[in-house]
Amino acid sequence: FIAADTVGVVTGGTEQFRFGSNPIPGGSKNLVINGQCLVSQRGTSFTSYGASDSEYSVDRWKIRSISSASARWTASQESSGGDSGKDKWLKILCTTADGSPGTNETQWITQIIEGFNSTSVVADDGTTKAMTVSLDIIAHADGAGSISFPAKVAVFLDMSAGASREYVHDVTIAAADTWERVTFSAPADSFNTWTTDNAGNLGIGISLYGGSGRVAAEDTWRASGRDNITSNTDNWADATNNYIGFTNVQIETGSVATSFAYEDIGTTLNKCYRYYQQWNILTAYYTIAQGYNAGTTTSRYILPTRQTMRAAPTLSVSNVADFQTQDGGGSKDTTNMTLNSSLPEVVQINATVATQTVSLATVLGADNSTARWLALSAEI
């Protein structure tokens, strides 16, 4: 018999399962989804990264860009990284430098964790338990910049998706171009306005750079103002070709760092599907959904989601001209695609064409190219 609140190691000295109150789905101690950077539905390379705020790269990881921050990056999913030399990882390479940021400029890579998945950090009295962050990290500093090693990268935790409390810590990178496992613990805090729902509750960020107005005291919980660097943090945007890379990111309750909780790819993929699902066209004229002609210019299609999503999703496509409908009267190019209705489990897509016969059965598919995609998003 094992008590329900036991925390321990099982099977031959290798930590396989961690028992405790409020485990997240899948039984993992790690609150981060896709911490191993395995899943990247949107692609493997993202240029001019940072030109738009909240732009995603590998699943669940996005860049935040505030106050017209001018640095730009290429984000790419890479292989053969991490301490093991065998892991996928996310590389953030500076392509447009900003050596003198404005006072309030800042950019960081972040993952926001849903309230349903962050209950393990809530203490019995509603306050916040201690948390420990671990990650494999690598960094390169171009000779044209000012960074020398050992160097500093600010990593932070925040509550209520950055709206309430924040804890910033500079991890030290001892040597250039060398993978290292870094870790730090944030102590328990009085923050007690957690909510158990599908909104963002907890976040982790890796700062790229910031202006003087974004400096916070290190290693202390404080009211959040998006101040996510310290006075010692290096500016990783000070020269083109600087880069930061990371993988095997973990947040766990408690003040002791344990080994990274590896999980099978199917589990990780299904967790990612809760927030984003992309249908990449595999072959020319690939069929996506079935439906009927609801009107002389509108066809309606049912598309079940692969996994129940966090909320009713929104629709995006590579280009409406990339798709066509096909019924007994032949194929027709689409001129618009919208959601007629949207639920976490299924969506109805309206496709507009020039003219067609009402009530015929029809299929929605791509044209004669394979560089097409359709996506549903319920990101936080």
Side-chain angles (χ1 to χ4, degrees):
F1 175 79
I2 301 177
D5 60 352
T6 298
V7 176
V9 174
V10 179
T11 73
T14 300
E15 189 166 25
Q16 301 292 336
F17 302 95
R18 187 175 179 88
F19 298 94
S21 60
N22 300 318
I24 69 170
S28 175
K29 63 189 175 184
N30 189 6
L31 278 67
V32 174
I33 294 175
N34 201 30
Q36 202 180 351
C37 303
L38 281 175
V39 178
S40 192
Q41 295 182 75
R42 295 171 175 86
T44 58
S45 184
F46 310 84
T47 58
S48 196
Y49 196 55
S52 300
D53 185 34
S54 296
E55 179 184 1
Y56 282 84
S57 54
V58 300
D59 278 52
R60 304 298 301 121
W61 294 100
K62 65 181 178 180
I63 190 169
R64 294 297 317 273
S65 187
I66 289 181
S67 193
S68 301
S70 59
R72 298 292 178 264
W73 313 80
T74 291
S76 56
Q77 184 193 43
E78 304 287 340
S79 301
S80 304
D83 266 1
S84 70
K86 299 177 180 178
D87 292 312
K88 297 283 190 182
W89 56 288
L90 181 60
K91 179 180 181 180
I92 311 295
L93 172 72
C94 183
T95 55
T96 300
D98 187 359
S100 300
T103 300
N104 292 317
E105 290 182 15
T106 183
Q107 288 177 327
W108 70 97
I109 310 299
T110 186
Q111 179 171 146
I112 299 173
I113 299 167
E114 185 178 347
F116 286 130
N117 286 350
S118 54
T119 55
S120 63
V121 305
V122 183
D124 290 342
D125 63 356
T127 60
T128 304
K129 296 179 182 178
M131 289 176 274
T132 296
V133 175
S134 307
L135 66 155
D136 293 354
I137 192 166
I138 191 171
H140 171 82
D142 187 84
S146 62
I147 298 174
S148 59
F149 290 84
K152 301 285 188 180
V153 175
V155 181
F156 63 92
L157 294 168
D158 58 35
M159 278 83 149
S160 297
S164 296
R165 298 281 280 172
E166 197 168 62
Y167 186 95
V168 184
H169 176 81
D170 278 329
V171 298
T172 300
I173 302 177
D177 309 315
T178 304
W179 282 101
E180 304 171 50
R181 185 76 175 162
V182 296
T183 184
F184 69 92
S185 294
D189 185 62
S190 60
F191 178 80
N192 64 354
T193 57
W194 296 101
T195 56
T196 303
D197 56 21
N198 66 349
N201 246 21
L202 176 67
I204 182 171
I206 300 169
S207 294
L208 299 172
Y209 81 121
S212 59
R214 298 299 179 181
V215 174
E218 185 179 10
D219 293 339
T220 182
W221 285 110
R222 58 182 298 279
S224 176
R226 300 298 189 191
D227 302 334
N228 46 29
I229 62 171
T230 79
S231 58
N232 296 315
T233 305
D234 283 301
N235 175 3
W236 293 93
D238 79 338
T240 57
N241 297 318
N242 288 353
Y243 72 77
I244 294 174
F246 62 86
T247 189
N248 296 340
V249 185
Q250 182 160 282
I251 303 173
E252 57 190 311
T253 57
S255 56
V256 177
T258 64
S259 58
F260 180 74
Y262 288 95
E263 63 187 13
D264 65 274
I265 182 63
T267 297
T268 302
L269 185 59
N270 273 316
K271 288 180 179 181
C272 293
Y273 279 162
R274 180 166 172 80
Y275 305 93
Y276 185 82
Q277 301 179 18
Q278 182 162 310
W279 283 258
N280 294 308
I281 306 307
L282 304 177
T283 59
Y285 305 111
Y286 185 83
T287 297
I288 297 171
Q290 297 177 325
Y292 70 101
N293 294 341
T296 57
T297 60
T298 302
S299 297
R300 186 163 297 158
Y301 301 92
I302 300 296
L303 182 63
T305 60
R306 294 161 168 162
Q307 170 76 279
T308 299
M309 302 191 76
R310 182 189 65 87
T314 58
L315 171 72
S316 59
V317 297
S318 52
N319 190 314
V320 293
D322 295 341
F323 294 88
Q324 61 182 21
T325 69
Q326 190 167 35
D327 57 26
S331 61
K332 304 165 187 67
D333 293 334
T334 60
T335 58
N336 194 26
M337 291 174 63
T338 61
L339 289 181
N340 178 63
S341 66
S342 177
L343 295 171
E345 301 83 9
V346 63
V347 299
Q348 289 186 355
I349 300 173
N350 276 356
T352 304
V353 298
T355 184
Q356 64 188 4
T357 301
V358 178
S359 298
L360 289 181
T362 177
V363 295
L364 175 67
D367 57 16
N368 63 350
S369 176
T370 59
R372 313 303 194 209
W373 56 265
L374 177 150
L376 299 174
S377 177
E379 297 281 11
I380 301 174

